[in-house]
Amino acid sequence: MNRQSPFFRLLKYMRRYKLLYACLIFTMIVGTALDLSIAWFLSLITNAAVKGEVETWPILIFLAIGMIFFIALFSYLDTYFKQKASLNVRNDIRLDTLNHVLRLPQSYYDKNHSGELLSRFTSDNQAVGEASGHIIMGLLKNPLLALCAFIYLLNIHWPLALISISIGPLMILVGKLFGEVMRKKSIILQEAMGKATSFLQDVLGASVLYKVFGLEKKISKQYQQYSTKISEIERSQGKIQGSANAVSASIATMSFMIAILVAGFFVAKGNLEVGAMAAFIQLMNYLVQPFSQLPGLWSSMQQALAGAERIFQIIDSPKEYEKLPEQGRASSFGTLTVSNVGFSYTKSENDMALRNIHFCATAGQTIAIVGGSGGGKSTLFKLLLGLYSPTIGTIEIDGRCEESMGLRKYRDYFSLVPQESILFTGTIRDNILDGNFMADETSVINAAKKANAYNFIMTLSEGFDTEIGERGSRLSGGQKQRIAIARAILRDAPILLLDEATAALDNESEKIVQDALAKLMVGKTTLVIAHRLTTIQNADLILVMENGNLVEQGTHNELLLARGRYHSLYYAQLEGEEVTEKILMDT
């Protein structure tokens, strides 16, 4: 865990752009000088007006034009450089966050909502970007401007300068007092917004469900609670910010009033020129304004650091890989051996999700895993894929475990067709190529044909270049599953895992997908979680799981003869299918 403060970690990103920040410091210094030149110009023109020096007006007009030009130029450059610095730092942090998120273990995703992660890439990242550009340069420029204005004031009238500078320590104290409170509030606000984002992400991805079940009003009330909490925190922040602004404005106004009264008194006594007083008034603005802005800038910086802290929490989380791995493919395979495997999500021996799982699969075999819901089938698949490590026992491929060969190389032996097809926004071609992005067009077409997907793809207006929408929303369930099978075919891994790949399909789609799966399984060692036991009668080995235990294993005929748990499941399912078929015939 990196214990360095978020601010110093943010500075490391900013140091990557030393030249850019050097340009920003240059524009800041020139901008400060140009600001002060207005007070000098005001003094010149006031004295010339009082003394009736009309002949100096052409020179004053020329000076005014020059000052306007340079103020506009450096204002543009300053804004441009700030924006560029902010964008660069935001981009670097965003990329580093994603590169770390891609290497997080599955346990992190199981414990944290994707919406929470999304908020780190959006609102938190935006706040950090503002801090590395406009806010940090404001925190540097305002004290510099105040210091330079104070030095200028000393040259005009040192007693007035001392009165004016008294505002500084008070403003810094206000910023410190209110800034820490704002930071704590900002962390709470970001967390609340993350929860609201998670909720919205769930809702927006389930439009069919809430429309069919009439959940609109319920969802609206739930989101109202999230929104109300956010509003309450923002309202509290507003009160704190308002209090800080009110205190700083009162101090600034009081200091300004005192200084003006004293300056007017000295002019009345003849100890100060009118032009000097005009310059003094302008300089007072440059002294008061920076200090009055400091509490707000400091508060914004605290809010940005709260966002940075949330981002760095992710970056500090333990990861699976040191570097992003390359896509690979295992060419040969002998045996997969699972030896006395036990597993607990909580690492407690009293809370085991799997106990004493043992079997061996050789090249080309088909192994079916059956059992009721909660039996541990999906957990076993997670262990086989290296998403979790066994708490007890070992899983070995050709005598080597995941630790000895490396996680990425271990996973190269596997391909997966899940129950619910996981597709990315993009084209059909993009999703098939995820199986092997080095494959040529011919290989993509052949994979689609083997997956029984080619014909429906070619009926689409854009063919393989058809955009499938979010999670494949423009495709039917069967079409999505065939794309997933084509992806697995292109991967050509020696071990294939099928997680109830046809469970969510209608009968017609199931037949098409089952035919595609049969082609995919040729020459592969296949482990299949089966919901329909009639489809696995020819499996080389059937594992029967119940409550995390392997209660039976054998072939279909052996298990039926044993008249145990598999026998009960098989005939109960047959009876259920017969009843369903009879009901359908009667209707």
Side-chain angles (χ1 to χ4, degrees), residues 26-222:
F26 174 71
T27 58
M28 178 185 69
I29 293 172
V30 174
T32 301
L34 288 170
D35 287 339
L36 295 176
S37 70
I38 294 176
W40 169 74
F41 179 76
L42 188 58
S43 175
L44 285 180
I45 198 168
T46 303
N47 285 332
V50 171
K51 296 175 182 178
E53 297 173 346
V54 180
E55 68 278 3
T56 63
W57 236 249
I59 298 174
L60 293 173
I61 292 172
F62 176 77
L63 279 173
I65 293 172
M67 289 171 63
I68 291 170
F69 171 77
F70 282 107
I71 288 172
L73 174 63
F74 278 90
S75 177
Y76 168 78
L77 291 175
D78 187 63
T79 303
Y80 172 76
F81 289 141
K82 283 178 184 175
Q83 190 71 9
K84 188 173 182 180
S86 175
L87 293 175
N88 286 344
V89 172
R90 281 180 60 201
N91 186 57
D92 286 353
I93 292 178
R94 189 164 50 228
L95 291 176
D96 283 356
T97 307
L98 178 63
N99 288 341
H100 195 93
V101 164
L102 292 172
R103 291 176 288 160
L104 289 172
Q106 184 60 37
S107 57
Y108 187 94
Y109 294 99
D110 290 343
K111 294 175 183 176
N112 295 274
H113 197 288
S114 59
E116 276 285 343
L117 290 175
L118 187 61
S119 68
R120 316 293 170 95
F121 286 95
T122 51
S123 57
D124 289 339
N125 184 267
Q126 179 70 34
V128 170
E130 287 296 314
S132 58
H134 295 277
I135 296 174
I136 197 164
M137 294 312 299
L139 288 171
L140 290 175
K141 182 178 180 179
N142 280 286
L144 177 64
L145 181 58
L147 177 63
C148 292
F150 174 65
I151 294 172
Y152 198 160
L153 281 170
L154 283 175
N155 290 326
I156 295 175
H157 200 274
W158 69 266
L160 289 175
L162 293 178
I163 294 172
S164 303
I165 199 62
S166 63
I167 187 177
L170 292 174
M171 288 297 190
I172 292 171
L173 180 62
V174 170
K176 183 173 178 60
L177 291 174
F178 287 97
E180 188 60 32
V181 179
M182 283 296 292
R183 181 175 181 175
K184 293 178 180 177
K185 285 289 182 181
S186 295
I187 293 175
I188 297 172
L189 176 63
Q190 297 294 75
E191 290 175 351
M193 292 181 70
K195 291 179 181 178
T197 302
S198 301
F199 178 76
L200 277 178
Q201 189 174 3
D202 288 343
V203 169
L204 297 177
S207 58
V208 174
L209 184 68
Y210 70 69
K211 288 179 182 295
V212 172
F213 282 79
L215 302 177
E216 291 91 344
K217 194 168 184 178
K218 175 189 174 185
I219 289 170
S220 178
K221 287 183 178 179
Q222 284 180 294

